[in-house]
C-alpha cells in the first residue's frame, strides 16, 4: 500500500509538472524552463536531505543516480520540446510508454506478469500507434503527429530513468533522489557554459516554473522511495499514469482536442498502462 501511495504521488507530481512545463515551453525557451525549475527542484530535495540529517551510504550503486540524472534530463528535454511543437494530449501518453522497459527488466528478473498486464502492454502499444498519426492539413493521407519523434525519445530516456533509479535507490532512496537531481542540474550548468544559451524566465512566469520544479523533484523523490517498498514493474507503471493528469489539464485549461482516432489512441495508451498497473495489484 505504501508503494502504491508513493507511486500515485509521483504520478500526480509528474502530471502537474509536465503540464506546466509544456505550457511554459511554449512561452519560454526549453532551456530556460529546465535550468530555473531544476534549481528550485534541487532546493526542495536539499531541504529534505538536511532535515533527515543522515550521511550518504558508502555504496557505489548509488552512483547510478548520476545516470538517472542524465536520463531524466534527456526525458524532460525531449518531452518539453515535444510539448512546444505538438499537442500535450498526444505527446504525454506516448512518452509514458517508456514504462515498458522496466516491465521487461522485471520479466528478465523473474517477475511473472498477469494476463491483465500482458493485455495492458498490447493495448498501450496499439494506443501509441493510433495517437501518433494524424491527418494532413489537406485531408489526404496521414502523417506523424507533431512532436511524436520527441515523445518517443522521451519514452526511451524515461525507461532508462525508471530502471537505474530503482537500482540506485537500493542504496538509499533519499540520497539517490538528491544525487540524481544534483547531477541533472550539473549537466545543465555544463551545457550553459558550453553553449551560453539565453536564459530568461521573467517575473510573470516564475510562480509556475517554481511549482513545476518542486513538483517534478518531489515526484522523483516519491518514485525513488516507492521502489524500496514495491516491485519495479508495479511502481513504474503506476508512476507512468501521469499522462492522465497532463491530458486532463490540457483539455480543461488549454481546450486541446485531438482528432477522433488520436483520442481513442490516447484512451487506449492510458488504459493500457492502467491495466498493467491493475494487473500487479
Amino acid at each position: 500500500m505504501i508503494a502504491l501511495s508513493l507511486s500515485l504521488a509521483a504520478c500526480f507530481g509528474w502530471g502537474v509538472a509536465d503540464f506546466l512545463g509544456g505550457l511554459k515551453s511554449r512561452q519560454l525557451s526549453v532551456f530556460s524552463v529546465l535550468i530555473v525549475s531544476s534549481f528550485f527542484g534541487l532546493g526542495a530535495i536539499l531541504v529534505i536531505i538536511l532535515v533527515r540529517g543522515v550521511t550518504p551510504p558508502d555504496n557505489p550503486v548509488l552512483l547510478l543516480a548520476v545516470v538517472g540524472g542524465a536520463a531524466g534530463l534527456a526525458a524532460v528535454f525531449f518531452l518539453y520540446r515535444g510539448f512546444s511543437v505538438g499537442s500535450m494530449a498526444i505527446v504525454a501518453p506516448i512518452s509514458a510508454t517508456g514504462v515498458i522497459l522496466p516491465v521487461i527488466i522485471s520479466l528478465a528478473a523473474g517477475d511473472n506478469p498477469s494476463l491483465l498486464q500482458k493485455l495492458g502492454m498490447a493495448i498501450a502499444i496499439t494506443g501509441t500507434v493510433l495517437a501518433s498519426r494524424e491527418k494532413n492539413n489537406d485531408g489526404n493521407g496521414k502523417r506523424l503527429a507533431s512532436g511524436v519523434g520527441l515523445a518517443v525519445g522521451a519514452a526511451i530516456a524515461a525507461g532508462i530513468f525508471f530502471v537505474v533509479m530503482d537500482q540506485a535507490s537500493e542504496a538509499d532512496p533519499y540520497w539517490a533522489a538528491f544525487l540524481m537531481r544534483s547531477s541533472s542540474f550539473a549537466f545543465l550548468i555544463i551545457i550553459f557554459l558550453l553553449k551560453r544559451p539565453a536564459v530568461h524566465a521573467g517575473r510573470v512566469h516564475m510562480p509556475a516554473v517554481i511549482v513545476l520544479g518542486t513538483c517534478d523533484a518531489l515526484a522523483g523523490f516519491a518514485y525513488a522511495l516507492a521502489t524500496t517498498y514495491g516491485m519495479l514493474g508495479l511502481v513504474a507503471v503506476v508512476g507512468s499514469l501521469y499522462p492522465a493528469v497532463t491530458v486532463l489539464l490540457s483539455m480543461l485549461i488549454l481546450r486541446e482536442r485531438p482528432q477522433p482516432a488520436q483520442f481513442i489512441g490516447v484512451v487506449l495508451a492510458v488504459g493500457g498502462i492502467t491495466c498493467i498497473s491493475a494487473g500487479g495489484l
Side-chain angles (χ1 to χ4, degrees), residues 116-127:
L116 185 58
Q117 287 178 315
K118 293 176 181 177
L119 179 63
M121 291 181 67
I123 292 174
I125 293 173
T126 301

Side-chain angles (χ1 to χ4, degrees), residues 126-148:
T126 301
T128 298
V129 173
L130 287 175
S132 65
R133 304 291 290 179
E134 67 180 1
K135 291 182 179 180
N136 283 321
N137 293 331
D138 57 10
N140 297 320
K142 294 188 176 182
R143 63 182 176 85
L144 280 177
S146 299
V148 166

Side-chain angles (χ1 to χ4, degrees), residues 72-92:
L73 178 61
V76 173
F77 174 79
F78 287 135
L79 185 63
Y80 290 0
R81 281 287 297 158
F83 284 159
S84 70
V85 299
S87 169
M88 291 188 198
I90 303 302
V91 174

Side-chain angles (χ1 to χ4, degrees), residues 178-190:
F178 177 73
L179 185 57
M180 179 273 290
R181 186 61 53 176
S182 298
S183 60
S184 178
F185 186 68
F187 290 138
L188 283 171
I189 295 298
I190 292 173

Side-chain angles (χ1 to χ4, degrees), residues 150-242:
L150 291 164
V152 172
I156 295 172
I160 296 172
F161 170 85
F162 286 139
V163 173
V164 297
M165 286 305 295
D166 171 64
Q167 297 177 21
S169 296
E170 291 180 2
D172 187 298
Y174 292 82
W175 280 102
F178 177 73
L179 185 57
M180 179 273 290
R181 186 61 53 176
S182 298
S183 60
S184 178
F185 186 68
F187 290 138
L188 283 171
I189 295 298
I190 292 173
I191 294 172
F192 175 77
L193 294 176
L194 292 176
K195 300 292 185 179
R196 295 300 177 94
V199 177
H200 176 72
R203 185 175 300 176
V204 67
H205 300 292
M206 285 301 292
V209 176
I210 292 174
V211 172
L212 152 64
T214 303
C215 285
D216 185 50
L218 294 180
F221 168 68
Y223 171 79
L225 197 56
T227 60
T228 65
Y229 287 100
M231 295 185 302
L232 169 62
L234 173 61
V235 170
V237 293
V238 174
S240 291
L241 290 172
Y242 68 85

Side-chain angles (χ1 to χ4, degrees), residues 100-114 117-118 121 232-233:
I100 292 176
L101 179 59
V103 169
I104 292 175
I105 297 296
S106 291
L107 291 176
D111 291 338
N112 185 26
S114 65
Q117 287 178 315
K118 293 176 181 177
M121 291 181 67
L232 169 62

